[in-house]
Amino acid sequence: MPTIIDGKVVSQKIKEQIKIDTQKLFNEKGIKPGLALLLVGNNSASEIYVKMKDKTCNELGFHSIIERMDEDSSEEAVINMINKWNEDPQIHGILVQLPLPKQINEFRVLNTISPNKDVDAFHPANVGKIMIGLPGFVPCTPAGIMELFEHYNIDLIGKHAVVIGRSNIVGKPIANLMLQKNKNANATVTICHSATKDISKYTKKADIIIAAIGVPNFVNGNMVKDGVVVIDVGINRIDDPTSTKGYKIVGDVEYDSVAPKASAITPVPGGVGPMTIAVLMKNTYNSAIKKYEI
């Protein structure tokens, strides 16, 4: 049986330490890490995600704000809100919940966030730092994956890692993190995507697979070799008549056929997902102590 890479356990450990550090920061300096969350429109999934982040802030002792704006809000109104938070000394992290309504330019909005408060690490300045290996914010899901590797002592040095997916949120940053020249990375990285011919040709040779393509059960047991480490980033809803909800959540990896061949694998749910919010909190805390040079 493979090692089950449990994101719930690792994320809880991270949050417990942040809570201790946050209480100490407040007791000694009177400072609370502050996170501002912006939700534009009526996307039900986005509403759930924002509430989860706010709830975690409260649990850890953070200062948090949720600003909800109408679906037809103007781009200018959104940017004005971000600029207000850029100038607010009580706010150390700004998060704009995506997707945004179609009339709003996502790049312009994300580019408005101060790089020093860009705890999602989507600003070009922070993306550039990841590319060349400078310290800075790292996108939450890729950073969470790196935390999982470290916690489970999964050695990346010299390993062949295949990333399936090239999004700016997961695929590109995790590829860059794994190939950095440091003791916790140094992998040889291949990126596969929708235009790659015969993806299985690459996955069959992979020591590590990061599946972030957004296709349910895309990677199956015939596509992997024995002993592979599998990180499944996908969260997909598929019909399931046997479920009381009428659906079930699956990843981009067909767990039942891949797990018997894997040396370690993340479940869905409960693998990568919990790590994303934990790292968001970590980024916000680090932003606060950096601002005050603590």
Side-chain angles (χ1 to χ4, degrees):
M1 288 295 292
T3 297
I4 305 302
I5 301 174
D6 192 334
K8 290 181 181 179
V9 170
V10 182
S11 66
Q12 188 60 36
K13 181 180 177 182
I14 291 170
K15 288 188 290 185
E16 286 172 358
Q17 186 59 54
I18 293 171
K19 185 174 183 177
I20 292 168
D21 293 341
T22 296
Q23 187 63 55
K24 182 178 179 183
L25 182 65
F26 182 73
N27 290 344
E28 295 181 359
K29 304 289 183 180
I31 298 165
K32 279 190 174 185
L35 179 63
L37 301 151
L38 180 59
L39 178 61
V40 186
N42 305 307
N43 186 301
S44 58
S46 293
E47 179 70 37
I48 292 169
Y49 295 145
V50 165
K51 284 181 178 178
M52 287 171 58
K53 292 163 186 174
D54 182 58
K55 181 174 180 284
T56 306
C57 283
N58 293 331
E59 290 171 353
L60 301 186
F62 284 21
H63 165 60
S64 65
I65 299 171
I66 300 179
E67 184 69 33
R68 292 176 174 85
M69 301 180 72
D70 293 337
E71 181 79 24
D72 60 357
S73 296
S74 68
E75 185 177 298
E76 182 181 9
V78 171
I79 286 174
N80 286 341
M81 179 60 65
I82 293 169
N83 281 328
K84 174 186 170 185
W85 287 336
N86 281 338
E87 301 300 321
D88 188 339
Q90 288 188 299
I91 298 300
H92 308 104
I94 299 171
L95 186 146
V96 177
Q97 187 65 46
L98 303 178
L100 292 168
K102 60 184 178 181
Q103 77 274 13
I104 299 174
N105 184 307
E106 181 179 299
F107 177 78
R108 187 170 174 229
V109 167
L110 296 177
N111 203 35
T112 301
I113 300 172
S114 165
N116 295 325
K117 297 187 178 186
D118 173 39
V119 288
D120 252 343
F122 293 158
H123 192 285
N126 288 320
V127 173
K129 287 181 178 180
I130 296 166
M131 182 71 180
I132 61 178
L134 290 177
F137 293 124
V138 176
C140 300
T141 300
I145 293 170
M146 298 303 287
E147 294 266 8
L148 291 174
F149 285 144
E150 185 172 353
H151 180 85
Y152 283 91
N153 296 313
I154 295 170
D155 184 14
L156 303 184
I157 297 174
K159 300 295 176 62
H160 180 205
V162 170
V163 178
I164 309 174
R166 55 180 167 182
S167 72
N168 293 332
I169 297 174
V170 180
K172 291 176 186 175
I174 189 61
N176 274 294
L177 291 173
M178 289 193 294
L179 62 78
Q180 294 298 329
K181 192 175 181 179
N182 63 53
K183 64 178 182 177
N184 297 319
N186 259 320
T188 299
V189 182
T190 299
I191 301 178
C192 297
H193 46 75
S194 57
T196 303
K197 298 184 187 305
D198 189 11
I199 289 178
S200 67
K201 180 173 72 174
Y202 302 95
T203 56
K204 286 175 181 177
K205 298 176 182 178
D207 302 307
I208 299 164
I209 295 173
I210 313 286
I213 196 171
V215 178
N217 297 320
F218 180 82
V219 179
N220 61 55
N222 294 325
M223 296 172 65
V224 305
K225 69 178 185 179
D226 289 337
V228 67
V229 173
V230 180
I231 305 294
D232 189 351
V233 184
I235 301 177
N236 308 289
R237 181 185 291 190
I238 63 172
D239 293 337
D240 181 9
T242 66
S243 168
T244 54
K245 295 179 180 179
Y247 68 87
K248 64 178 178 180
I249 301 298
V250 300
D252 293 352
V253 175
E254 189 180 69
Y255 188 91
D256 289 345
S257 66
V258 173
K261 299 180 77 171
S263 61
I265 189 170
T266 57
V268 175
V272 174
M275 298 298 296
T276 301
I277 291 181
V279 173
L280 173 65
M281 299 299 129
K282 188 175 183 179
N283 282 351
T284 304
Y285 174 82
N286 287 338
S287 179
I289 61 175
K290 183 179 179 181
K291 173 179 171 61
Y292 295 100
E293 298 180 347
I294 298 170

